[in-house]
Amino acid sequence: MGYTIAVAGKGGTGKTSLTGLLIDNLVKKGENPILVVDADANANINEVLGVDVECTIGEIREEVSQREISGNGFPGGMTKAQYLKYRLNTAVTEGNGYDLLVMGRSEGQGCYCYVNGVLREQTDSLSDSYKYLVIDNEAGMEHLSRKTTKHIDTLFLVSDCSRRSIQAVGRIKELVKELNLKVSNIHLIVNKAMDGQLHEGVKEEIAIQGLNLIGIVPMDEMIYEYDSSGIPLVKLPEDNKSKLAIKEILSEIEI
Ligand SMILES: Nc1ncnc2c1ncn2[C@@H]1O[C@H](COP(=O)(O)OP(=O)(O)O)[C@@H](O)[C@H]1O
Ligand SMILES: [Mg+2]
């Protein structure tokens, strides 16, 4: 069983950017194989990592549903479950030191309960053969409980420097409890901090929410520059301040 890291927090706080830097750090340390799961409906971690994705799980779901509606069945006499497994494997994008699976979304009106169940089982069993499973989540945690039955070793909650964003991750922490998700450690990362410092009010809110602050990532003009120019963030120089901050955070949890 591999080590599972999930990242959650309000939209726009930097989850995907920091997840990308985290993966880059694991790859450079030779901590492979790594399975990256992009669980955001607006999938975009491939841009941070600099890889092209051919196909998403949502598209597979759609295709399987279309095959059933049209009554064409599955190629080579495969059963639905066999076909899903085969297609899941084709949906794995090979990156440099990691594999990437993009959940995407389904546009159709169909009922996907069966397919979702099969896909969840198969994704979970696929991830067993990796040393690390890294999940870039969308804002909440509700859908994660539907997409994986995995035990999460470390959940990073990402917030920017606003009290509201800290409150939002505080609610995610509560939700994790309510949903009974299996999470061993929850750590807060505050991103986009001016000069890498936190305002007293923000520190106060972190205490109110009972969050465990593991690290601060500064407001970084290089991230802005790379993103605006369409350059994958993993290409940031090794002495980039955000890269160093992520490295420090991972060493805090002994990775
Ligand atoms: N430390 C940072 N400094 C400056 N800009 C950042 C930083 N982290 C993220 N960003 C920018 O914030 C925006 C949202 O980041 P993203 O990673 O997509 O957030 P999320 O996945 O939480 O929605 C992007 O434009 C990204 O370039
Ligand atoms: Mg994102």
Side-chain angles (χ1 to χ4, degrees), residues 1-253:
M1 271 275 284
Y3 189 98
T4 301
I5 299 174
V7 183
K10 248 177 82 159
T13 52
K15 293 181 294 298
T16 301
S17 308
L18 301 190
T19 306
L21 297 183
L22 190 153
I23 293 158
D24 179 63
N25 190 271
L26 290 177
V27 169
K28 298 227 164 95
K29 283 197 291 217
E31 295 283 2
N32 46 30
I34 305 165
L35 179 65
V36 179
V37 173
D38 188 338
D40 192 333
N42 284 310
N44 58 4
I45 195 155
N46 62 302
E47 287 165 17
V48 172
L49 296 171
V51 283
D52 290 326
V53 173
E54 299 269 314
C55 148
T56 72
I57 299 289
E59 285 161 10
I60 294 176
R61 220 162 18 215
E62 213 52 59
E63 185 211 314
V64 167
S65 147
Q66 285 309 316
R67 279 181 183 275
E68 287 202 300
I69 292 167
S70 65
N72 283 343
F74 302 102
M78 277 189 258
T79 64
K80 190 169 166 181
Q82 283 167 335
Y83 187 68
L84 279 168
K85 185 168 186 187
Y86 155 76
R87 287 291 278 132
L88 179 72
N89 283 314
T90 65
V92 175
T93 304
E94 269 179 53
N96 186 12
Y98 58 86
D99 285 341
L100 170 63
L101 198 58
V102 178
M103 291 296 176
R105 66 177 139 222
S106 300
E107 306 290 348
Q109 303 290 318
C111 170
Y112 301 104
C113 298
Y114 170 80
V115 176
N116 280 342
V118 173
L119 284 171
R120 180 173 55 211
E121 239 169 60
Q122 290 178 352
T123 311
D124 284 352
S125 96
L126 173 75
S127 62
D128 280 339
S129 49
Y130 291 84
K131 187 168 178 189
Y132 284 92
L133 169 63
V134 181
I135 308 169
D136 180 20
N137 225 338
E138 56 192 22
M141 287 298 285
E142 300 92 332
H143 77 292
L144 187 71
S145 59
R146 280 184 257 121
K147 282 182 181 150
T148 181
T149 54
K150 286 279 160 196
H151 171 98
I152 295 168
D153 294 284
T154 293
L155 171 63
F156 285 121
L157 298 176
V158 179
S159 170
D160 60 24
C161 292
S162 76
R163 288 187 88 125
R164 275 184 302 281
S165 177
I166 301 283
Q167 287 159 3
V169 292
R171 280 193 294 274
I172 295 176
K173 188 184 72 143
E174 290 308 309
L175 196 60
V176 167
K177 266 197 233 154
E178 282 166 30
L179 294 172
N180 253 322
L181 294 181
K182 294 168 275 176
V183 181
S184 302
N185 304 294
I186 303 183
H187 299 295
L188 169 68
I189 300 175
V190 178
N191 188 21
K192 307 189 194 184
M194 294 289 178
D195 303 320
Q197 301 295 318
L198 294 190
H199 188 281
E200 286 308 316
V202 171
K203 287 187 194 162
E204 186 183 82
E205 193 60 48
I206 293 171
I208 293 171
Q209 299 296 328
L211 292 159
N212 168 31
L213 177 67
I214 194 162
I216 300 171
V217 180
M219 180 60 95
D220 187 341
E221 37 305 307
M222 268 181 118
I223 290 190
Y224 177 74
E225 180 57 39
Y226 273 54
D227 243 16
S228 306
S229 315
I231 306 170
L233 290 185
V234 293
K235 294 201 170 146
L236 285 166
E238 292 313 304
D239 63 355
N240 164 263
K241 53 189 179 182
S242 302
K243 262 197 177 176
L244 292 174
I246 289 295
K247 190 174 175 183
E248 177 77 29
I249 287 167
L250 286 177
S251 73
E252 284 284 327
I253 59 163

